Amino acid sequence: MDRIRIVGGAPLNGVIPISGAKNAALPLMIASLLTRETLTLENVPHLADVALLKRILGNHGVDCMVQGKRAGQNGTTGETIELSARDIVDTTAPYELVSKMRASFWVVGPLIARMGEARVSLPGGCAIGTRPVDLFIMALRDLGADIDIDGGYVVARAPKGLRGAHIRFPKVTVGATHVAMMAASLARGETVIENAAREPEVIDLASCLLAMGAKIAGAGTSTIQIEGVDALSGVRHKVMADRIEAGTYACAVAMTGGEVFLEGATPSILQKPLEVLGEVGAEVTATNEGIRVKRNGSGLSPIEVSTAPFPGFPTDLQAQLMALVCRADGTSRIRETIFENRFMHVQELARLGADIQLDGQMATVSGVAKLKGAEVMATDLRASVSLVIAGLAAEGETVVNRVYHLDRGFERIEQKLGACGATIERISA
Ligand code: EPU
């Protein structure tokens, strides 16, 4: 397994290009199952999760071409991929594939809507929490699907097609909002989704579906209305910039000091994190082309933050913020409200010298004057990158094990940080 070696202490200076968003690319790729025509996606990031989803879609019969070449070839810019689900050959998504990436469960929505049947493995638990699928099942039942759980699979049937419905989510869920929106686009009649997720990735999916001929209003608000259509067409769509990648590098610059321009980042969808970084002590400037983040000399201030659905502080930046305030002058309190077990980075940050107390969903971080490099390991994507951030500011050498977690969601991280002056390298196994 690859490892990342970092020698901390250097400030970051330069430009970091922000890639396409993983959490937008995945549902957009899944939307290709809704149409017989070709869906062309631009700015798709080179990530392990994208590669895995290509395999999963291939299993259903989706033909995936990368800029005229077959999938799987690498480059340094975002890919343009053509997904063509002309004939769906298999409506089963097997355990071996779905258990590797939870978002692949989302194929259940397009498959049941277009084919009238879907058999999709339950994803199982994951490192950050139990993550049940009850709200997906609720929404699909509301849309008229018959659903059984059989042998670890969700078996959904709607031989006469789905029908529009009133869906009210008891809690905000990004994935079930994506799935309900995709399924309702091909249902008969009108659907209203209440308490929908307002995440920018939901808007990106909705705008692609709109271009494909869906009738959707209200994406980005808590009430989404969808008028079902008979068929959707192919279209060309550019994946939005990754707000979590941008927020992560912003935390890194706030940590090391220096000045970095996050090229292509969208400030309007990062308001809360940028406000928090300002409170911690970074200077943040929004421009039309990206976000400039700077910290020169000043110390870091402690903060109090709770994660929340958009537009609140994202759970996907919680670990990175925690790494940052490990070196604040005072005590910070960070509450995780989305996932029940998203604190695996705490023990590893402690190996670098951080002082963090956990009490249920609340982490109390007492700032320390310095962190010291060590060998660390993480069990999920955002936790791993928090260790990279801490390593960039720690004295001496930090080695992050299990880099495959990072490769799921951060494209060329060692090159992007290395180009800004960090001493960081991948040690290949
Ligand atoms: N939930 C249920 N029942 C359901 C569905 C969700 O109880 O049927 C709960 C979850 O267990 C969680 C809460 O609802 O406690 C919110 O989960 P949500 O469904 O919003 O999460 P998700 O769709 O599985 C996406 C992102 C996550 C991100 C969350 C929250 C993708 C591929 N994943 O997950 O991203 O943390 O929304 O914003 O879009 C990551 O990129 O590292 C990541 C984990």
Side-chain angles (χ1 to χ4, degrees):
M1 275 186 266
D2 289 4
R3 298 182 296 162
I4 295 259
R5 177 178 166 274
I6 301 163
V7 180
L12 292 170
N13 284 294
V15 176
I16 297 183
I18 299 304
S19 298
K22 166 179 86 80
N23 289 350
L26 299 178
L28 286 164
M29 289 171 69
I30 288 172
S32 68
L33 288 166
L34 288 164
T35 173
R36 289 176 60 79
E37 296 178 16
T38 301
L39 174 62
T40 304
L41 296 175
E42 294 173 8
N43 199 32
V44 178
H46 293 280
L47 297 172
D49 274 8
V50 166
L52 179 60
L53 185 56
K54 283 178 190 163
R55 268 181 60 204
I56 291 169
L57 293 175
N59 199 53
H60 296 298
V62 179
D63 200 25
C64 178
M65 306 280 281
V66 181
Q67 283 169 337
K69 292 175 279 181
R70 301 301 296 185
Q73 307 193 347
N74 251 341
T76 50
T77 55
E79 290 177 343
T80 295
I81 61 176
E82 291 178 8
L83 298 156
S84 173
R86 187 178 167 73
D87 297 305
I88 291 179
V89 296
D90 195 341
T91 53
T92 294
Y95 177 71
E96 309 83 81
L97 296 175
V98 180
S99 57
K100 291 199 178 115
M101 181 178 56
R102 194 184 146 81
S104 56
F105 180 80
W106 301 351
V107 298
V108 70
L111 288 176
I112 178 82
R114 182 165 153 203
M115 305 301 288
E117 60 171 49
R119 192 169 161 272
V120 181
S121 170
L122 286 163
C126 77
I128 62 177
T130 51
R131 300 179 87 183
V133 294
D134 55 324
L135 303 178
F136 293 81
I137 293 177
M138 181 202 86
L140 293 174
R141 280 198 174 128
D142 287 346
L143 290 166
D146 231 359
I147 298 196
D148 291 319
I149 309 290
D150 184 18
Y153 280 73
V154 171
V155 182
R157 289 186 201 87
K160 295 189 182 139
L162 298 175
R163 51 171 161 66
H166 199 111
I167 300 169
R168 190 183 149 71
F169 287 119
K171 80 197 277 192
V172 176
T173 151
V174 175
T177 300
H178 284 317
V179 163
M181 207 162 63
M182 287 192 272
S185 294
L186 286 182
R188 270 189 325 279
E190 201 201 354
T191 296
V192 176
I193 306 175
E194 274 190 68
N195 200 26
R198 290 182 283 163
E199 268 63 6
E201 293 75 16
V202 170
I203 304 181
D204 204 24
L205 175 63
S207 64
C208 179
L209 293 172
L210 272 170
M212 290 166 77
K215 295 186 177 160
I216 301 176
T221 74
S222 352
T223 307
I224 303 179
Q225 288 120 11
I226 302 150
E227 181 69 41
V229 296
D230 290 338
L232 294 170
S233 55
V235 73
R236 194 176 180 93
H237 180 85
K238 182 173 176 196
V239 178
M240 64 182 274
D242 197 319
R243 65 191 167 105
I244 303 301
E245 189 197 25
T248 299
Y249 290 127
C251 287
V253 183
M255 184 68 152
T256 60
E259 182 172 342
V260 169
F261 186 64
L262 304 170
E263 188 181 52
T266 313
S268 58
I269 55 175
L270 272 161
Q271 267 178 5
K272 183 67 188 177
L274 296 181
E275 192 185 298
V276 169
L277 283 174
E279 282 171 38
V280 175
E283 259 179 68
V284 179
T285 317
T287 75
N288 288 339
E289 285 77 41
I291 300 171
R292 188 171 300 285
V293 184
K294 182 172 163 187
R295 187 172 72 83
N296 283 334
S298 61
L300 296 168
S301 304
I303 37 94
E304 300 225 350
V305 169
S306 285
T307 62
F310 191 84
F313 190 90
T315 172
D316 290 346
L317 285 174
Q318 180 256 108
Q320 298 89 315
L321 179 68
M322 193 178 299
L324 174 61
V325 295
C326 282
R327 289 189 59 224
D329 307 322
T331 302
S332 300
R333 286 151 68 85
I334 301 181
R335 181 182 291 279
E336 171 59 51
T337 71
I338 310 291
F339 294 109
E340 72 270 24
N341 187 27
R342 208 173 198 183
F343 281 135
M344 277 95 46
H345 40 288
V346 168
Q347 289 312 315
E348 299 302 306
L349 288 169
R351 291 177 57 76
L352 299 171
D355 178 354
I356 306 170
Q357 301 300 318
L358 273 186
D359 181 10
Q361 296 300 93
M362 174 73 88
T364 303
V365 187
S366 307
V368 293
K370 63 179 178 194
L371 298 172
K372 279 195 180 163
E375 190 149 343
V376 289
M377 157 151 75
T379 41
D380 83 275
L381 166 60
R382 310 303 175 186
S384 329
V385 85
S386 78
L387 300 173
V388 171
I389 291 174
L392 289 172
E395 253 178 25
E397 183 179 291
T398 295
V399 174
V400 183
N401 288 293
R402 300 201 178 171
V403 168
Y404 62 86
H405 285 298
L406 275 177
D407 293 336
R408 293 188 60 181
F410 289 94
E411 179 177 284
R412 298 182 292 119
I413 186 168
E414 66 277 22
Q415 280 142 289
K416 289 189 184 189
L417 288 170
C420 290
T423 305
I424 178 169
E425 62 173 345
R426 178 178 294 252
I427 308 168
S428 294

